[in-house]
Structures are given as structure tokens and as C-alpha cells.
Amino acid sequence: MFWNILPLNINSLGALLLVLSVALWRQYTARRESFVAYKKRENSKDAPLTFPYVVPLLGSLPIAYLWSPKAFVLNPNNFFQSAHPVQVKILTQEFYVIGGPENVKALFKNSWACTSIPFVKFALGHAFGLPAKALSLFDKDDSGGGSVPHPGSRVEARNRIDYNVHQSLIRFLEGKGLPPFWNRFADNVTKQLHSLHDRVGSDWDYHADLMKVVGDEATTSIINALCGPYLLSLNPSFLQDYWDFDRNLQTYLQGIPWFLAPKAYAARKRVLDAVKIWQQHARDHYSDAAMGADGDDPFWGGSFFRERQNMFLEMDGFDYAAIASQDFGAIWAARNSISAASWAIFDIYRDPELLASVRAEVDACALKDADGCIRFDIEQLLRLPILQAVYAETLRLRMHFYIIRMPDKVDMNIRDWIIPRQKVIVTPTTVAHMDANVWNTGSNNEHPVDRFWVGRFLKYPSKEAHDDVQSYDSTSSPTFSTKELEGSWIPYGGGPRQCPGRHFAKRQILLTIALMVSLFDCEILEEGKNLQEDFSLMGFGSGVSHPAGKVPARIRQRDRGDV
């Protein structure tokens, strides 16, 4: 009897699945047609449409993202490519995607209404190991990001962790803390690269990885400027541990447990332990007598970390371990500008014409100090068009990051599309930076958006287009600007929570480039000339990209006799 019934059940099940598949597909087709019509509309006063999907429980599950995240993000058929704001449902989660220059500008303009607390808490807890007691303070902070707390908030001023931490960064990177910090860095990196110059000599010297050479020198200079000399001197492996942590960032953010990635979590423990050792040494040895006129001291480096000690110790749930997690987050944040400088120098040295143009600019403003070191006035470097174009193009091409916002107390209006409060908004920099409809690709599309070309940011006085930088000369100097690219060039985000380190980052990248091309000749060996970015799941989406390999090169002192 059973064997007689079984074929009927299987046939019935097959028919049922067929009917269900057809129903789901027809539903998807109807949604897709509505969505296509929605994409053609100029504006709307309704909530954004939901991106169409086939299976209700799965939603727009991005399976392809797992093995090729950049290709997925740039696929013209997925939700990241919508011209209008769109709602995306994946399993039990939903979020909104904002793209297109005008929509992005509106997002930044209105992001005063947003909170960053859920995302900061997530990053600090997952990546930087902030203990649970300190993390709980974020859950209690309903005071908002403004100087005046939200009405009804009962959070004490000392426990306004989001506002207080952000203000400490603003004072340091946009206020009175920036000039002394910049002076420390400029002095450090100048001495650091001149020391490398002396070690290299006048004969070709082989190096296994140019990116590591530049990265190590810049990292050392920034850490010493930030923290003083003792973080590195007390922890000789910190430089390597710093970059090991950075390489494993996605391991932490994806919540991979420690027993599946013991080396990654060991690297995190080492960097946090190093910060604790340095800060305990500073607490034991600092006195007001050690502080200079501009707030510098050899133990804390400057006022930034010294003042944060007092700020955090006044907060509920914070101890020295929690402070170390918070402060390592601030130290780690320098990795984007360091990586960008390495990529910029790589792209310059593999292009002889570009190298000649950059050198023509920086040689004209190089100064030789009494100690024999070449020095630069940063204000002069900030006026050099080709050097600035190198900086801007590097961030356009290499910055892959998700700008995340969430309206807090009120709905957000994006050009009459309404995003409900407490809903996550995502804007990928990659989509904005790779939009061929926005970016100049040359008169015959000979400079595609996935290739490095400084001409995207340069304008010449002649009406006739200049296709390459070798046309640079003293009579046809180009101009540099990003003003017309607002909403399209977004490496620092935008709005009230735009990256406060952007002023330092630009100066750091420009000065590092200027010193490198002034001091060194570099020949990138053939196997390193076509270095690719790491677009794997573990390498994509954390900021300026990692290289997918090494850049073997020969380096020697530059002969400046004819300069």
C-alpha cells in the first residue's frame, strides 16, 4: 500500500512546488516591474520602494557577495545601484540604500538628525574588545550628538559618551590640538625618511615590498607623533602587531569566534596589552613639569590621550582596560592615510611621466634646512595641483567603505523620500567612486574608472582636453578642485560626523609623497607593477584597500645635483 501511495505524494509535492515557484516568480516579476517604473521617476513623497526579491524569508540575500564583494556592489542589477533610495530586506533585517550625488548630498545635509551610537558600539565591542561594562554606557546614552542633550534625557554630562568622545576628536584634529600634532608628525617623518635615505645609499638596494617600506616609516612617524616614543620603545613588536590586527579586522567584525581564528585574536591581545603598558608607564612617569608650551610631553605624546584619561575615568564602567580599547581605536584610525600614502607612491613610481610632473612641482618648493634635511612648507604643498590630484585619485580608487547613518528621533527626508527613524541607511563609497556617468574617463574613454588617472581632478586653461599629465609645464599649469564632485567624491563621508581626521590625513599623504619622490629613486620590478587590491570578503569594505601581494623594488638615493 505504501509503495502505491508514495509516487502520488511525490508527484503531488512536485506539482505543489511548481505552483509555488510560479506564484513566487509572478510576484517577483510584478515587484520588478514596479521597481523599474520607480527608478524612472524623478521624485516621490512616499517611502522608498522595497528592492524586489523572489523568496520571502530570504529577501535579497547577497550570496554572491561572499566570494566577490566588490563585483557584487558594482553589479548594475543589485540594490546598491538604484538611482533612488531603496529599502532592502535580508532575512529578518532591513535597511535603506542611498546612492547618486544629489541623494548623497541630501543625506549628509540632513545627517544632523542621525545617531552613530549603534555602529560605534558594534565596532568597539567586536573589533576593539571594549569590555561589557563600558559598552553598556552606549545603551544608556540617549542624549544625542549635539551640545544640548535631547529633551527628556537624564544622562549625566560626564556619561554622554558619544558626544564627549566626538568632541575630544574635534578638539584634537580640527581645533587647537592639530598644529602641535602636525608639527610632531612633520618633524618625525622628515627625520625618519632621511634616516632611510642614509641607510639606502647611492647604489640600488633591493626591498621585497615597497608598500611595507613606506607603510612602516609612515606608521612609526604617526605613532610617535600621537603617543610619544614610549609606545614603540616599550613594545618592539607593536608595528607588526598593528598591521596584523588591521589585516584581521573583518574577522572581528564578522564575529568569527576566537577558537576559529586564534592568531587574529592573539594579535588583538598584543596590541591592547601594548597600549596598556605604554599608558601605565605614562601614568607612572608623567608630571606637569614634562609638558611643553604647546601641551606636548614625551610620555603621552600630547594633550589628546592625557585628557582622555580623565574624561573616561569619570564615566561609569570605565577602567584602564576600557580606556586602552578606546584609545587603540583612535591610534588604529591612522591606517587609512598610511595605506593611501603607500598606494599613491606606488602609482607615482610606476608611471615615469607622472613622477616627473610631481617632482617638478615639489622640487620648486623644497627647502634645505641647517641640518641638511629637505623640508617642505605644508601650505605650499596644499597648493600644488598635480600632487593634490594624486591624493584625491588615490582615495577615489582605493577607498572602499560603507557610510552608515541612522535617523534617531525623527524621520529623515532625502529629497522627499522619507526614511523612517531608527532605520539604518547605507551608502557605499565604491559605488559613488566608480560611477562612469559622473567621472571623467578621457575623450575616448581611455581612462576607465577602475584605473588610476589624475586627470579626473585637473582642469587646464586651454579648452582642448589634456589626456595625460605629461602635458604639465610651467605655462599650462592645471588647477585642482573637488567642489564639482560633491556627493561623488566621498572618502571622508559628510555632514556633522564627517571624518575629523581629514585635514591631517591630506597633509600626511602630501608630505610623505613629497619626501619620498625628493629623496629616492625607485624602480618597481616587473612582478610588482600590476599589483591588485584585495577584494576578498576579508579584505573589502574596511577603508583604504589592502594590497593583494607585494611590490618588489630597487631603491637608491636620488641624485639631486641638478635640482
Side-chain angles (χ1 to χ4, degrees):
M1 178 70 69
F2 176 76
W3 297 107
N4 291 332
I5 297 174
L6 185 61
L8 178 62
N9 288 342
I10 292 175
N11 291 335
S12 299
L13 180 60
L16 180 61
L17 288 174
L18 179 61
V19 170
L20 181 61
S21 297
V22 170
L24 289 173
W25 183 254
R26 291 185 65 182
Q27 184 182 53
Y28 167 77
T29 302
R31 287 176 174 170
R32 187 73 190 179
E33 290 175 353
S34 297
F35 189 76
V36 170
Y38 168 76
K39 288 171 66 176
K40 295 178 180 179
R41 289 157 62 181
E42 291 298 322
N43 53 48
S44 172
K45 292 187 178 180
D46 300 324
L49 210 60
T50 301
F51 191 81
Y53 52 84
V54 177
V55 182
L57 294 178
L58 298 181
S60 301
L61 192 65
I63 297 174
Y65 187 91
L66 298 177
W67 58 82
S68 187
K70 184 191 176 189
F72 177 85
V73 167
L74 294 179
N75 186 320
N77 296 317
N78 79 29
F79 46 78
F80 283 123
Q81 295 291 325
S82 174
H84 297 325
V86 60
Q87 182 190 46
V88 180
K89 293 185 177 181
I90 299 176
L91 300 176
T92 61
Q93 304 298 313
E94 65 178 54
F95 59 93
Y96 292 80
V97 172
I98 303 295
E102 296 305 317
N103 293 330
V104 171
K105 285 193 286 185
L107 170 65
F108 291 159
K109 180 180 179 181
N110 294 316
S111 60
W112 57 268
C114 293
T115 177
S116 60
I117 283 179
F119 319 116
V120 172
K121 178 190 173 185
F122 179 86
L124 287 171
H126 281 71
F128 297 96
L130 187 66
K133 282 186 178 181
L135 278 175
S136 67
L137 205 58
F138 288 96
D139 296 324
K140 301 171 184 175
D141 186 4
D142 61 355
S143 64
S147 57
V148 178
H150 285 319
S153 174
R154 296 186 177 182
V155 177
E156 294 181 57
R158 64 185 178 89
N159 283 330
R160 295 190 65 202
I161 186 167
D162 181 56
Y163 173 75
N164 289 333
V165 170
H166 184 66
Q167 287 303 305
S168 76
L169 290 169
I170 294 296
R171 288 192 298 273
F172 177 51
L173 293 169
E174 297 186 15
K176 65 179 183 179
L178 179 59
F181 174 42
W182 169 254
N183 291 335
R184 292 194 300 272
F185 169 76
D187 188 55
N188 287 349
V189 75
T190 299
K191 291 176 179 177
Q192 197 78 22
L193 290 177
H194 276 86
S195 176
L196 175 64
H197 178 265
D198 294 341
R199 297 195 305 272
V200 165
S202 57
D203 296 327
W204 286 114
D205 188 24
Y206 174 80
H207 290 264
D209 189 5
L210 174 65
M211 305 289 276
K212 187 176 189 304
V213 171
V214 177
D216 284 353
E217 302 299 331
T219 307
T220 299
S221 301
I222 288 181
I223 289 175
N224 284 339
L226 270 172
C227 310
Y230 289 105
L231 176 54
L232 291 179
S233 65
L234 293 172
N235 304 280
S237 69
F238 185 79
L239 201 64
Q240 183 62 51
D241 295 335
Y242 177 97
W243 289 107
D244 286 346
F245 171 91
D246 183 64
R247 275 288 190 175
N248 285 289
L249 184 67
Q250 288 295 333
T251 298
Y252 315 127
L253 293 177
Q254 292 171 24
I256 297 174
W258 69 267
F259 56 83
L260 295 180
K263 291 183 178 179
Y265 285 92
R268 184 174 76 175
K269 184 178 186 303
R270 289 195 299 272
V271 293
L272 293 178
D273 286 346
V275 173
K276 293 174 190 175
I277 290 170
W278 157 57
Q279 296 195 333
Q280 187 59 54
H281 181 270
R283 286 189 290 268
D284 291 342
H285 292 85
Y286 171 78
S287 69
D288 290 343
M291 185 172 61
D294 57 2
D296 292 1
D297 77 82
F299 303 106
W300 292 106
S303 61
F304 177 59
F305 289 117
R306 192 172 63 237
E307 292 174 356
R308 279 163 66 99
Q309 287 281 308
N310 296 329
M311 178 185 73
F312 284 126
L313 287 175
E314 290 180 355
M315 294 181 182
D316 294 340
F318 268 81
D319 56 14
Y320 291 147
I323 295 173
S325 292
Q326 278 273 4
D327 284 351
F328 177 66
I331 297 167
W332 169 82
R335 59 86 53 203
N336 276 324
S337 66
I338 296 168
S339 298
S342 300
W343 277 113
I345 289 162
F346 163 74
D347 281 310
I348 289 171
Y349 275 123
R350 68 172 179 165
D351 184 337
E353 289 80 9
L354 178 59
L355 174 61
S357 296
V358 172
R359 277 179 168 169
E361 284 191 336
V362 301
D363 286 346
C365 57
L367 303 171
K368 202 159 190 177
D369 216 341
D371 58 5
C373 288
I374 297 170
R375 295 183 184 274
F376 292 93
D377 178 351
I378 189 61
E379 296 304 321
Q380 288 186 313
L381 295 183
L382 287 168
R383 292 193 289 267
L384 300 180
I386 295 177
L387 182 62
Q388 290 188 88
V390 169
Y391 150 82
E393 175 68 352
T394 298
L395 291 181
R396 182 201 69 82
L397 183 62
R398 311 295 186 186
M399 175 63 81
H400 304 283
F401 188 68
Y402 297 97
I403 298 168
I404 302 177
R405 299 285 188 268
M406 187 176 78
D408 189 11
K409 302 293 185 181
V410 296
D411 296 345
M412 176 177 279
N413 186 312
I414 304 292
R415 301 174 67 224
D416 290 335
W417 284 282
I418 305 301
I419 311 295
R421 68 185 189 89
Q422 297 294 309
K423 296 298 182 181
V424 174
I425 301 171
V426 179
T427 297
T429 61
T430 308
V431 174
H433 291 172
M434 296 288 167
D435 186 349
N437 294 318
V438 170
W439 294 96
N440 177 12
T441 58
S443 56
N444 296 307
N445 293 320
E446 66 271 29
H447 300 290
V449 290
D450 61 349
R451 295 291 182 268
F452 185 91
W453 182 50
V454 298
R456 294 182 224 282
F457 293 90
L458 296 174
K459 289 187 176 181
Y460 289 81
S462 170
K463 292 182 180 179
E464 188 173 323
H466 288 63
D467 287 338
D468 294 293
V469 296
Q470 59 258 39
S471 58
Y472 168 82
D473 60 56
S474 58
T475 61
S476 64
S477 181
T479 57
F480 165 83
S481 176
T482 59
K483 289 183 179 179
E484 296 178 1
L485 298 167
E486 187 182 355
S488 295
W489 189 74
I490 52 173
Y492 299 114
R497 290 298 176 101
Q498 185 176 14
C499 174
R502 63 194 182 278
H503 306 298
F504 173 82
K506 181 175 183 178
R507 287 159 173 76
Q508 181 261 314
I509 294 167
L510 297 186
L511 180 58
T512 305
I513 294 171
L515 286 166
M516 282 294 298
V517 301
S518 296
L519 294 172
F520 302 100
D521 288 326
C522 178
E523 179 184 276
I524 297 176
L525 302 185
E526 196 61 37
E527 56 267 37
K529 288 183 178 179
N530 294 314
L531 176 71
Q532 301 298 308
E533 297 168 77
D534 181 2
F535 291 140
S536 68
L537 183 64
M538 303 307 289
F540 181 81
S542 301
V544 175
S545 57
H546 295 111
K550 296 181 178 181
V551 182
R554 299 194 305 161
I555 304 175
R556 69 182 179 189
Q557 294 176 349
R558 180 188 177 197
D559 182 5
R560 295 183 56 84
D562 57 345
V563 176

